[in-house]
Amino acid sequence: MSSQNSHERTLTYVAALREAVAQEMERDPRVFVMGLDVDDHKAIQGSTRGLLERFGPERVFGTPLSEDAMTGVAIGAAMAGLRPIHVHIRMDFLLLCMNQLVNVAAKAHYMYGGHVKVPLVVRSMIGRSWGQGAQHSQGLHGLFMHIPGLKVVAPSNAYDAKGSLIAAIRDDNPVIFVEHRQLYPTEAAVPEAPYVIELGQARRCRSGDDVTLVGISQMLRECLVAAELLREIGIAAEVIDPVSLVPLDMATIRTSARRTGRVVVVDNSWTSAGAGAEITAQLAESETGLRLKRLGYAPTPCPTTPSLEAAFYPDPASIAEAAHALLRPGKAWRPDPRHAKLAARQALPPF
Amino acid sequence: MSSQNSHERTLTYVAALREAVAQEMERDPRVFVMGLDVDDHKAIQGSTRGLLERFGPERVFGTPLSEDAMTGVAIGAAMAGLRPIHVHIRMDFLLLCMNQLVNVAAKAHYMYGGHVKVPLVVRSMIGRSWGQGAQHSQGLHGLFMHIPGLKVVAPSNAYDAKGSLIAAIRDDNPVIFVEHRQLYPTEAAVPEAPYVIELGQARRCRSGDDVTLVGISQMLRECLVAAELLREIGIAAEVIDPVSLVPLDMATIRTSARRTGRVVVVDNSWTSAGAGAEITAQLAESETGLRLKRLGYAPTPCPTTPSLEAAFYPDPASIAEAAHALLRPGKAWRPDPRHAKLAARQALPPF
Amino acid sequence: MMASVSLEERQRIYRAMQRIRRVEEEVARLYPGDHIKSPVHLSIGQEAVAVGICDPLRAEDIVSITYRGHAAYLAKGGSLPAFMAELYGKDTGSAGGKGGSMHLIDIAHGILGASAVVGTNIPVAAGYALALKREGGGRIVVCFLGDGATEEGVFSESLNFAALKRLPILFVCENNGYAIHAPTSRRWASDELCARVSTYGIPATLLAEGDVLAIRAAAASAYATMRQGGGPAFLECRTYRWREHVGPNEDYDAGYRSRAELEAWQARDQIARLGAALDGRDRDRIDAAIAAEIAAAVAFAEQSPFPGREQLTSDVFAE
Amino acid sequence: MMASVSLEERQRIYRAMQRIRRVEEEVARLYPGDHIKSPVHLSIGQEAVAVGICDPLRAEDIVSITYRGHAAYLAKGGSLPAFMAELYGKDTGSAGGKGGSMHLIDIAHGILGASAVVGTNIPVAAGYALALKREGGGRIVVCFLGDGATEEGVFSESLNFAALKRLPILFVCENNGYAIHAPTSRRWASDELCARVSTYGIPATLLAEGDVLAIRAAAASAYATMRQGGGPAFLECRTYRWREHVGPNEDYDAGYRSRAELEAWQARDQIARLGAALDGRDRDRIDAAIAAEIAAAVAFAEQSPFPGREQLTSDVFAE
Ligand SMILES: Cc1ncc(C[n+]2csc(CCOP(=O)(O)OP(=O)(O)O)c2C)c(N)n1
Ligand SMILES: Cc1ncc(C[n+]2csc(CCOP(=O)(O)OP(=O)(O)O)c2C)c(N)n1
Ligand SMILES: [Mg+2]
Ligand SMILES: [Mg+2]
């Protein structure tokens, strides 16, 4: 991403995930992939395609519907020195794994005095799309940010997806790896050779002096479009992707906030006691005088019908509106929705 | 608490809990109590003592060790019109119930278009004491604050315990009721007749103009001692107890913050993406120029050995120190630990 | 078996199964048009289980259904217009458009809301049965679950509790041989499901043939015992999903199962079998009524309004 | 049974059980002094299970233990000084003072860390067995669990997975008849635990008498099969906890169980039984060596330093 040129290969997010895993499995025989349906013909929307054929059923296997035990199994295998990648097609299903993830994976290294490690990657997808509804579309990374001992990564583009997944696999700690269904088809320049995106380094995706937009996971893309809309009315937005939420690179966000004085944090989840709250609170603790605003899901379960679902999520128009409100508190402004859609098409692909 | 006089009856926190449940069971035959060990001779450290004898085994029963299913059972019974109180001796065990609480209880009313209600109270205790360690001492209310559809209450004294538990039982929604083991023996004036503490009303426990201390659950008591320590060096601290976290009475906190300009939020949990983050972020969004600080558990699992455990928790000294640092940023100050202990004994009982 | 069932009953059973089949075929037909606003898990091929189980129930009994719940919803008497409107995401839907196909509910007809998280409905149904037991009026609960759901720990936990408390609940495992694309042989260490359930002291019966009348007879006999305090029971009904796991199409080219499997089940299709035994004119009359009812439901769904924006934040909390 | 066991073996087994008993009695004696810094769940009375199971294990095998894990920890060869120091909350403890009695660990001796959340260790042990199976060296895992743990859904899930993958793991249920104060009769719909486990295709054996040699023989025969790829096995060992659930005391006045129950188990106390069959002087020699070892461990614990403040934030993440 940093040094794109026309000769570089582009890859979709889903292909980048697949390539990261395949390369790591090639490099390290201890890495293996397990999870419901990782070995069927749909292959978790393609993200595990080809792994079974290449690495065999001992290293790529589907599981019974037993998320709780399977998480424990992954933890036990990790303690024994293997490096499991446990895949869930929906992040919502991690709610069945909380005991193992929070009471065991997160605490084992500490609680056992450093005598065991849990090099576990938990891949899961935020399922937003087509009426997935309340139980199939949740972004729950905020829950995991609350718990010491877990790392949390949520890349927004194919380049970071590959590099941060490789970093997660090589990490000796449990890493909650957050994907977003709507990111799967997006493309970016992705080097073929394996590379590591260090966890804990935010990325400045666009610079500007008037307001900082921090976008988590797929909301980064919405922020980029919002920045375009803001540019049209003369507001220069800086856009930052935290990439990893634990560890969290507050220095980069803080530097930007100090310059712009205004920050909108846009999360792919609820705002209350979530990632947005954490970033906002950290800013507020270290700086005074900032104008701060969080956006996220409406404070409701996710409805299925599109007439309500559209209002459930932040979008470029609502992000731009919130940013504008920080800058010009008196004057209400909201981009025309049709124009906002158009801008989205122009601003985004290829990433 | 509001209108104490010497004729009033005092009760311990644990007795207040017990009385609330007994009175509600008396009033409403739909109310019942279930959970591991609610019906044994220890009676959840006394909080369910006598209920079995009084209301019989159909309305007070122990369960198998099956937290996941038992939570679903409570939800189903609630949907059918009963009003279950599901008791857990440790909040840590709620991690086994997350799927039912988050995917079902929190969402049912909305997801089913208002056609069902889930009047469920989940009582659980933060187990801090004597080397309980990483898996038996967690305060996890922050996780539940993230999820729309759940109410979260964490009373800090016997008076609020009784009134807010009655409110929770009468509420038609799932309420996560957070107790703290170290609060059980504390006393307050508690009227005998049933009364309701409305959820969503914070309590100003001490007034002052220099700094606001917001203390959650047992940390409220630590804040009161800290306020004493601060008074001794001429700093007037206002102390606020949110009592309920969802709904959250930000107005009371905000009013205080505007006056003092400085707020320390002290939680009985981790700070990252927790209750403290939420309160801090809300303050930062609506006000500029505040000096804000969160305190909570050290960002580690809880160690058992006392030499580390003592440093894991905020205490009056560390709270006073943090408040002082907001007021007089240049000058470091920390109360003498022995003196802080003494102050604790003087400041607190009877509540 | 058929001989002992009256003509009227056979007509009713045929009608119920055929109605479900036709509704789902209509859903499949409409699906590509994007009027239906959520993923659909069709039961086409599995109708005999829902109908055999629900036919002997009383109106005041309760059923707990899954995301593959169209069949049981309709068999228990759930409103067809509200169903169709819910699939369309409309305000008049069974959940006001907030639930979609995976969260059907019709409390007035004793249908508990469906969950999209596998197994989640099992303890909830048991909790409802606990309340009915206290009520003491002889009402019972039927809890539908898939073969995949039996792998979730909550299934075992719920069986133990239901048996311990002798709850009036029938667990019905619709064993269609697959969880998404994984056959039971790759998920189950053994197929001794009924033997396992019976170790809890729960009478457990395997119905391997998909015969609607056999299912109905087994259910009816279980209900009679349960209504008298006999405690829970369990039925494993083998069946077969004709379409893909989610969505309107067939998927025999995907490689995970063969068309021969389908054909074996089609050969004993209960709708064809019961239909063939009816008088042709009776059958046509029934079919025509079903077609009219479906057309009306689709029209109702089409003409209903979407929920207004203000609905987004309503019903988060009950007042 | 005793006849087929050599004198040396009988001495070893006596020593192992007696050592556990004496260590725990010492813990109970010390407990009121507040030197021990976390809740203790004593196994006094249950030693025969841990020793019968662990005696035939190889050093490189793995055991997964529970918060009531002192016995298995010691039986498998866990360090006694590190154990005692851990209870004292010292830096030299098995977990550097961060775990306490409920989180014992000794990786060098094949002891996986104990969990205080019931049932949590079961799938973790299965995961370890999965890794050992891939390793292919014939190593095995023993997973201890209580009767209460069998009620957690994760137990059933883990059995199914272990059987499906034919993992080299022996599940040992230490059925002491109670979970805290609740007897199995109030938590289990039936006591057909072994029958249930065997429906997964897992050979399951009930050992009702608490006979250490019978347990040892059953374990040894299971290990032989497992080492050759025979897949998981299950033993239900009935036993009895003599002391209160947590803490150093007896609790027969609490009302939930009778002293007669205790006495029936004391009558077949394996330590007394094996001890009586030994030469008196041999026994005295063993006992004296145990006493000296314990005294040294306590002294070690007492003299060890507490962890320094900087340890609070170390080892949250592995570097
Ligand atoms: C807890 C959980 N895990 C995984 C999924 C994804 N999933 C949806 S349906 C399904 C298969 C369920 O199989 P079965 O219970 O046999 O029901 P069927 O679809 O065959 O009717 C799976 C794994 C889910 N919805 N919930
Ligand atoms: C998941 C969970 N639920 C409840 C508890 C509280 N608890 C601690 S020990 C125990 C009893 C466990 O009984 P059993 O498995 O028979 O083991 P035993 O103590 O008899 O050795 C319970 C309920 C817990 N620690 N974890
Ligand atoms: Mg199935
Ligand atoms: Mg027990």
Side-chain angles (χ1 to χ4, degrees):
Chain A
M1 254 196 50
S2 34
S3 61
Q4 289 185 23
N5 72 52
S6 55
H7 305 304
E8 275 179 341
R9 182 187 65 149
T10 64
L11 223 53
T12 58
Y13 191 95
V14 59
L17 293 173
R18 192 168 56 220
E19 183 168 278
V21 172
Q23 288 178 342
E24 286 302 289
M25 290 184 78
E26 196 66 63
R27 186 186 63 81
D28 184 345
R30 299 169 303 172
V31 178
F32 72 98
V33 174
M34 57 181 274
L36 274 167
D37 309 316
V38 298
D39 57 353
D40 72 10
H41 61 282
K42 295 256 171 116
I44 313 292
Q45 291 174 3
S47 69
T48 59
R49 174 129 32 242
L51 297 177
L52 172 66
E53 293 72 11
R54 191 152 155 206
F55 299 103
E58 221 184 27
R59 292 181 67 196
V60 182
F61 58 87
T63 69
L65 281 79
S66 306
E67 285 85 353
D68 182 7
M70 289 309 111
T71 306
V73 162
I75 292 169
M79 286 180 176
L82 298 181
R83 305 185 80 82
I85 303 172
H86 190 189
V87 185
H88 301 265
I89 199 160
R90 290 288 180 285
M91 196 162 191
D92 314 68
F93 306 155
L94 294 188
L95 291 164
L96 287 103
C97 312
M98 293 301 281
N99 180 45
Q100 287 292 336
L101 291 175
V102 175
N103 276 333
V104 186
K107 297 178 177 28
H109 187 63
Y110 188 89
M111 180 167 82
Y112 299 130
H115 290 297
V116 291
K117 292 177 184 172
V118 184
L120 163 67
V121 177
V122 180
R123 278 187 50 203
S124 72
M125 204 192 298
I126 301 178
R128 175 178 182 182
S129 76
W130 195 246
Q132 292 285 318
Q135 299 175 328
H136 270 53
S137 61
Q138 294 170 88
L140 298 170
H141 40 284
L143 303 184
F144 299 104
M145 288 179 71
H146 191 48
I147 306 298
L150 298 175
K151 297 190 177 179
V152 184
V153 194
S156 75
N157 62 73
Y159 177 80
D160 286 336
K162 177 171 174 180
S164 63
L165 184 48
I166 290 178
I169 295 168
R170 295 184 187 176
D171 201 293
D172 271 344
N173 299 283
V175 181
I176 309 294
F177 193 88
V178 184
E179 305 163 14
H180 192 292
R181 185 167 164 162
Q182 293 184 331
L183 293 174
Y184 268 37
T186 66
E187 294 191 334
V190 175
E192 213 162 318
Y195 57 94
V196 163
I197 296 284
E198 295 293 345
L199 307 185
Q201 220 152 326
R203 178 182 299 291
R204 205 171 62 164
C205 300
R206 176 181 176 129
S207 25
D209 287 335
D210 296 332
V211 60
T212 304
L213 307 179
V214 179
I216 294 170
S217 182
Q218 178 264 6
M219 284 299 157
L220 193 273
R221 290 171 67 82
E222 312 281 20
C223 287
L224 288 172
V225 183
E228 257 324 286
L229 296 170
L230 289 165
R231 188 193 52 73
E232 292 172 3
I233 59 163
I235 295 175
E238 181 140 308
V239 179
I240 293 180
D241 182 349
V243 189
S244 117
L245 297 167
V246 180
L248 179 61
D249 175 8
M250 279 304 296
T252 297
I253 298 173
R254 203 172 273 128
T255 304
S256 175
R258 285 205 189 109
R259 204 175 60 254
T260 64
R262 303 166 190 94
V263 183
V264 184
V265 184
V266 192
D267 193 8
N268 232 303
S269 184
W270 292 288
T271 58
S272 177
E278 180 57 26
I279 293 170
T280 305
Q282 285 205 40
L283 286 173
E285 286 179 306
S286 66
E287 320 296 318
T288 46
L290 295 180
R291 307 255 329 141
L292 299 167
K293 175 74 185 166
R294 289 174 291 167
L295 292 179
Y297 297 167
T300 77
C302 179
T304 44
T305 188
S307 78
L308 301 182
E309 205 194 20
F312 178 79
Y313 292 105
D315 61 19
S318 63
I319 296 166
E321 183 184 12
H324 177 269
L326 289 189
L327 272 139
R328 303 175 192 162
K331 302 191 229 163
W333 169 81
R334 189 179 165 87
D336 176 74
R338 254 165 318 171
H339 176 63
K341 266 206 189 124
L342 213 80
R345 227 166 299 147
Q346 288 164 351
L348 287 175
F351 193 73
Chain B
M1 258 201 39
S2 33
S3 61
Q4 289 185 25
N5 71 53
S6 55
H7 304 304
E8 276 180 339
R9 183 186 65 146
T10 63
L11 223 56
T12 57
Y13 191 96
V14 59
L17 293 172
R18 191 167 58 222
E19 184 168 277
V21 172
Q23 289 177 343
E24 285 302 288
M25 290 184 78
E26 197 66 64
R27 186 186 64 78
D28 185 345
R30 299 169 304 174
V31 178
F32 72 98
V33 174
M34 59 182 274
L36 274 167
D37 309 316
V38 298
D39 57 353
D40 73 10
H41 62 282
K42 295 255 170 116
I44 313 292
Q45 292 176 1
S47 70
T48 59
R49 174 133 25 247
L51 298 177
L52 172 66
E53 295 72 10
R54 193 154 155 207
F55 300 103
E58 222 184 26
R59 292 181 66 197
V60 183
F61 57 86
T63 68
L65 281 80
S66 306
E67 286 84 354
D68 182 7
M70 290 307 112
T71 305
V73 162
I75 292 169
M79 286 180 176
L82 298 180
R83 304 184 81 82
I85 304 173
H86 190 189
V87 185
H88 301 264
I89 200 161
R90 289 287 180 286
M91 196 161 193
D92 314 69
F93 305 156
L94 295 188
L95 291 164
L96 288 102
C97 312
M98 294 301 281
N99 180 44
Q100 287 291 335
L101 291 175
V102 175
N103 276 333
V104 186
K107 299 180 179 21
H109 188 63
Y110 188 90
M111 182 167 80
Y112 299 130
H115 290 297
V116 292
K117 292 175 184 174
V118 183
L120 163 67
V121 177
V122 179
R123 281 187 48 202
S124 72
M125 203 191 299
I126 300 178
R128 174 178 181 181
S129 76
W130 195 247
Q132 292 286 316
Q135 298 175 329
H136 270 52
S137 62
Q138 294 170 89
L140 298 170
H141 39 284
L143 302 185
F144 299 104
M145 289 179 70
H146 191 49
I147 306 297
L150 298 175
K151 297 190 177 181
V152 183
V153 194
S156 74
N157 63 72
Y159 177 80
D160 286 337
K162 177 173 174 180
S164 63
L165 184 48
I166 290 179
I169 295 168
R170 295 183 187 176
D171 202 294
D172 272 344
N173 299 284
V175 181
I176 308 294
F177 193 87
V178 184
E179 306 164 14
H180 193 290
R181 184 166 166 164
Q182 294 185 330
L183 293 174
Y184 268 38
T186 66
E187 294 192 334
V190 175
E192 213 162 318
Y195 58 93
V196 163
I197 297 284
E198 294 292 345
L199 307 185
Q201 220 153 325
R203 179 182 297 292
R204 206 172 60 165
C205 300
R206 175 181 176 130
S207 25
D209 287 335
D210 296 332
V211 61
T212 303
L213 308 179
V214 179
I216 293 169
S217 183
Q218 178 262 8
M219 285 298 156
L220 193 272
R221 291 171 66 82
E222 312 280 23
C223 286
L224 287 171
V225 183
E228 258 322 288
L229 295 171
L230 289 166
R231 188 193 52 73
E232 293 172 3
I233 59 163
I235 294 176
E238 181 141 306
V239 179
I240 292 181
D241 182 349
V243 189
S244 116
L245 297 168
V246 179
L248 179 62
D249 175 9
M250 279 305 298
T252 297
I253 297 172
R254 205 172 273 129
T255 303
S256 174
R258 284 204 190 110
R259 205 174 60 255
T260 64
R262 302 166 191 95
V263 184
V264 184
V265 184
V266 192
D267 193 8
N268 233 301
S269 184
W270 293 286
T271 58
S272 177
E278 179 58 25
I279 293 171
T280 305
Q282 284 206 39
L283 285 172
E285 285 178 307
S286 65
E287 320 295 318
T288 44
L290 296 179
R291 306 258 327 144
L292 300 167
K293 175 74 185 166
R294 289 174 290 167
L295 292 179
Y297 298 165
T300 77
C302 179
T304 44
T305 187
S307 77
L308 301 182
E309 206 194 19
F312 178 78
Y313 292 106
D315 60 20
S318 63
I319 297 167
E321 184 184 12
H324 177 270
L326 289 190
L327 272 138
R328 303 176 193 163
K331 300 191 231 163
W333 169 82
R334 190 180 165 87
D336 175 75
R338 257 164 318 170
H339 176 63
K341 266 207 187 121
L342 213 82
R345 227 169 294 147
Q346 288 163 351
L348 286 174
F351 193 72
Chain C
M1 185 71 74
M2 236 191 251
S4 66
V5 179
S6 74
L7 173 63
E8 191 201 322
E9 288 172 316
R10 276 181 284 132
Q11 286 185 348
R12 189 175 70 215
I13 293 165
Y14 167 78
R15 178 186 170 280
M17 292 193 299
Q18 172 74 340
R19 180 165 169 269
I20 294 167
R21 171 81 48 95
R22 288 293 305 118
V23 166
E24 292 212 305
E25 283 172 349
E26 182 69 1
V27 167
R29 192 185 66 77
L30 291 164
Y31 202 76
D34 279 5
H35 300 293
I36 292 174
K37 304 299 188 188
S38 56
V40 292
H41 300 75
L42 301 181
S43 301
I44 291 174
Q46 305 191 180
E47 303 87 350
V49 182
V51 171
I53 294 295
C54 291
D55 186 69
L57 284 176
R58 300 180 186 160
E60 67 270 25
D61 291 330
I62 299 292
V63 304
S64 168
I65 64 179
T66 74
Y67 56 89
R68 193 181 305 289
H70 301 174
Y73 173 97
L74 293 169
K76 180 57 172 62
S79 156
L80 179 57
F83 161 90
M84 202 59 86
E86 188 60 33
L87 267 61
Y88 272 67
K90 296 298 180 74
D91 199 33
T92 53
S94 56
K98 287 174 171 172
S101 160
M102 298 198 288
H103 303 301
L104 293 173
I105 185 165
D106 188 341
I107 291 294
H109 294 98
I111 299 157
L112 291 185
S115 172
V117 183
V118 173
T120 296
N121 66 314
I122 303 172
V124 175
Y128 212 103
L130 181 74
L132 293 190
K133 184 175 182 188
R134 259 188 61 183
E135 185 184 87
R139 291 166 72 199
I140 60 175
V141 174
V142 172
C143 176
F144 286 93
L145 53 114
D147 47 293
T150 67
E151 294 147 37
E152 296 285 358
V154 75
F155 172 66
S156 303
E157 293 182 358
S158 301
L159 289 179
N160 182 47
F161 183 75
L164 186 69
K165 297 285 178 189
R166 300 186 68 73
L167 301 183
I169 183 166
L170 175 70
F171 298 98
V172 177
C173 177
E174 298 185 272
N175 184 350
N176 60 13
Y178 293 89
I180 308 191
H181 313 114
T184 45
S185 61
R186 299 193 40 202
R187 296 152 25 225
W188 289 10
S190 88
D191 59 5
E192 295 181 54
L193 177 60
C194 283
R196 185 174 313 137
V197 173
S198 67
T199 66
Y200 292 99
I202 299 178
T205 310
L206 170 64
L207 294 150
E209 305 301 321
D211 180 327
V212 67
L213 299 180
I215 295 168
R216 180 170 169 270
S221 119
Y223 301 155
T225 315
M226 283 161 58
R227 292 196 201 280
Q228 273 141 35
F234 180 86
L235 297 179
E236 176 184 351
C237 301
R238 299 264 168 85
T239 183
Y240 200 73
R241 159 172 64 73
W242 294 8
R243 301 286 173 105
E244 58 190 339
H245 167 71
V246 55
N249 303 309
E250 294 193 341
D251 64 351
Y252 296 93
D253 53 354
Y256 74 96
R257 58 179 187 172
S258 71
R259 188 169 284 278
E261 247 180 36
L262 167 70
E263 285 162 358
W265 279 94
Q266 281 183 327
R268 37 188 155 135
D269 179 23
Q270 298 294 300
I271 299 179
R273 194 172 286 188
L274 263 77
L278 293 184
D279 174 89
R281 275 186 317 199
D282 283 352
R283 201 179 51 228
D284 290 348
R285 193 178 31 76
I286 294 172
D287 289 356
I290 288 172
E293 193 194 356
I294 293 173
V298 171
F300 173 78
E302 278 173 357
Q303 284 150 27
S304 293
F306 281 104
R309 272 285 166 102
E310 76 289 352
Q311 294 293 319
L312 176 65
T313 49
S314 69
D315 287 333
V316 176
F317 289 108
E319 299 306 328
Chain D
M1 186 72 73
M2 235 191 255
S4 66
V5 179
S6 74
L7 173 64
E8 190 203 324
E9 286 171 320
R10 277 182 283 132
Q11 287 184 347
R12 189 176 70 215
I13 293 166
Y14 167 80
R15 178 187 170 279
M17 293 194 298
Q18 171 74 340
R19 179 165 170 268
I20 295 167
R21 171 82 48 96
R22 289 290 307 115
V23 166
E24 291 211 305
E25 283 171 350
E26 182 69 2
V27 167
R29 191 184 70 76
L30 291 165
Y31 201 75
D34 280 5
H35 300 293
I36 292 174
K37 304 298 189 191
S38 57
V40 292
H41 300 75
L42 301 180
S43 302
I44 292 174
Q46 304 191 181
E47 302 87 348
V49 182
V51 171
I53 295 296
C54 291
D55 186 68
L57 284 176
R58 300 179 185 161
E60 67 270 25
D61 291 330
I62 299 292
V63 304
S64 167
I65 64 179
T66 75
Y67 55 89
R68 193 180 306 289
H70 301 174
Y73 173 97
L74 293 169
K76 179 59 171 65
S79 155
L80 179 56
F83 162 90
M84 201 60 86
E86 187 60 33
L87 267 62
Y88 272 66
K90 297 299 181 70
D91 200 33
T92 52
S94 56
K98 286 175 172 172
S101 160
M102 300 199 287
H103 303 300
L104 293 174
I105 185 166
D106 188 341
I107 290 293
H109 295 97
I111 299 157
L112 291 186
S115 171
V117 182
V118 173
T120 297
N121 66 313
I122 303 172
V124 175
Y128 212 102
L130 181 73
L132 293 191
K133 185 175 180 188
R134 258 187 62 183
E135 185 183 87
R139 291 165 73 198
I140 60 175
V141 175
V142 172
C143 176
F144 286 93
L145 54 115
D147 46 293
T150 67
E151 295 147 38
E152 296 285 359
V154 75
F155 172 66
S156 304
E157 293 182 357
S158 302
L159 289 179
N160 182 47
F161 183 75
L164 185 68
K165 297 285 179 188
R166 301 186 69 72
L167 301 182
I169 182 167
L170 175 70
F171 298 98
V172 177
C173 177
E174 298 185 272
N175 183 350
N176 60 13
Y178 294 89
I180 308 192
H181 313 114
T184 45
S185 60
R186 300 192 41 204
R187 298 155 21 230
W188 288 10
S190 88
D191 59 5
E192 294 181 55
L193 177 60
C194 282
R196 185 173 314 136
V197 173
S198 67
T199 67
Y200 292 99
I202 299 177
T205 309
L206 170 65
L207 294 150
E209 306 301 320
D211 181 328
V212 66
L213 299 181
I215 294 167
R216 179 170 169 271
S221 118
Y223 302 155
T225 315
M226 283 161 58
R227 291 194 203 281
Q228 272 140 35
F234 180 85
L235 297 179
E236 176 185 352
C237 301
R238 298 263 168 86
T239 184
Y240 200 72
R241 159 173 64 75
W242 294 9
R243 301 286 173 103
E244 59 191 338
H245 167 71
V246 56
N249 304 308
E250 294 193 340
D251 64 351
Y252 295 93
D253 53 355
Y256 74 95
R257 59 178 187 170
S258 70
R259 188 168 285 278
E261 244 180 38
L262 168 69
E263 285 161 358
W265 279 95
Q266 282 183 326
R268 38 187 154 135
D269 179 24
Q270 298 296 300
I271 299 178
R273 195 172 286 187
L274 264 75
L278 293 182
D279 174 89
R281 274 188 316 202
D282 282 352
R283 200 178 53 228
D284 291 347
R285 195 179 30 78
I286 293 173
D287 290 356
I290 289 172
E293 193 193 356
I294 293 173
V298 171
F300 173 78
E302 278 171 357
Q303 286 151 25
S304 293
F306 282 104
R309 271 286 167 102
E310 78 289 352
Q311 294 294 319
L312 176 64
T313 47
S314 68
D315 285 334
V316 176
F317 289 107
E319 300 306 329

